[in-house]
Amino acid sequence: METLQTIFSRKSVKTYTGEAVPQDKRDTVIKAALSSPVGMGKFENVHLTVIENKELLNEIDRNAAAFFGDPSRTPLYNAPILVVVSTPNQGNVDSANAAMIVHNMCLAAIDLGMGSCAIYGATAALANNADLVAKLNLPEGFVPTGSAVFGPTEATYELREIPMDKMTVAYID
Ligand SMILES: Cc1cc2nc3c(=O)[nH]c(=O)nc-3n(C[C@H](O)[C@H](O)[C@H](O)COP(=O)(O)O)c2cc1C
């Protein structure tokens, strides 16, 4: 897909077939994450955790559903991979770093014919559960800041109608 076509047809996918992601596609998405810009070039301020372990995915999913007070929800949508972006803090630049990385992964996954979705609710729930965070073996002082799921989906992409007033935009001549 051309870059603009990917951007203009991007959407958050919340249904996954449950099939595994081929390793080459997984690695390409991670390469896209590693291609992201990071504030002041401080790449040491981000840490990625690629989770494919079904037991841990289920624990993170159940933890989030409980955090939201609705056990019927599946906040990770049964996606086969969750990539958690952790940072030393949760301030402006840390959040921006995580968002850049998450979005690069989402766009790359779409380009590779998969579905993807930014996951911040379940990330907040994860960050709130010290026992669960311990299972990520994060570097000292790092906290989960953002994440993305991706994987095979039956969702399809077509160019979306993007009204020019979708967000307010002020032009100052
Ligand atoms: C910062 C951020 C956090 C998000 N967190 C979640 C999330 O926790 N769970 C979820 O299902 N979608 C999440 N999303 C996806 C949004 O719900 C989605 O982007 C929005 O509804 C617009 O839909 P679209 O992406 O299909 O255009 C998040 C998106 C962003 C940018």
Side-chain angles (χ1 to χ4, degrees):
M1 242 191 246
E2 294 297 324
T3 305
L4 285 179
Q5 196 179 343
T6 305
I7 290 172
F8 292 153
S9 56
R10 183 212 61 79
K11 63 184 174 187
S12 297
V13 166
K14 307 192 179 189
T15 52
Y16 295 86
T17 63
E19 294 165 280
V21 175
Q23 195 180 326
D24 59 330
K25 288 193 176 187
R26 181 198 72 184
D27 292 347
T28 301
V29 172
I30 298 307
K31 187 172 178 180
L34 301 179
S35 305
S36 302
V38 163
M40 307 222 13
K42 292 190 173 177
F43 295 96
E44 66 275 22
N45 280 350
V46 289
H47 178 86
L48 306 186
T49 310
V50 183
I51 305 172
E52 293 177 270
N53 179 289
K54 286 195 186 322
E55 204 175 303
L56 185 54
L57 286 171
N58 189 51
E59 277 189 72
I60 294 170
D61 185 76
R62 292 301 79 218
N63 176 68
F67 186 79
F68 300 142
D70 183 357
S72 72
R73 286 179 66 171
T74 51
L76 300 186
Y77 306 115
N78 300 313
I81 296 189
L82 171 74
V83 181
V84 178
V85 183
S86 299
T87 58
N89 301 295
Q90 290 181 310
N92 191 27
V93 173
D94 295 280
S95 300
N97 286 342
M100 292 278 183
I101 292 167
V102 162
H103 199 51
N104 254 22
M105 288 194 287
C106 288
L107 291 176
I110 292 167
D111 190 76
L112 293 167
M114 297 185 285
S116 62
C117 187
I119 301 288
Y120 279 72
T123 306
L126 167 65
N128 205 48
N129 183 331
D131 291 340
L132 208 43
V133 171
K135 296 188 180 187
L136 304 190
N137 291 318
L138 298 178
E140 184 67 30
F142 276 60
V143 288
T145 301
S147 67
V149 289
F150 60 92
T153 182
E154 283 172 5
T156 55
Y157 296 93
E158 46 282 323
L159 289 177
R160 298 174 83 183
E161 188 62 38
I162 310 289
M164 291 303 281
D165 62 354
K166 187 170 181 182
M167 304 175 195
T168 56
V169 183
Y171 298 93
I172 301 174
D173 296 324

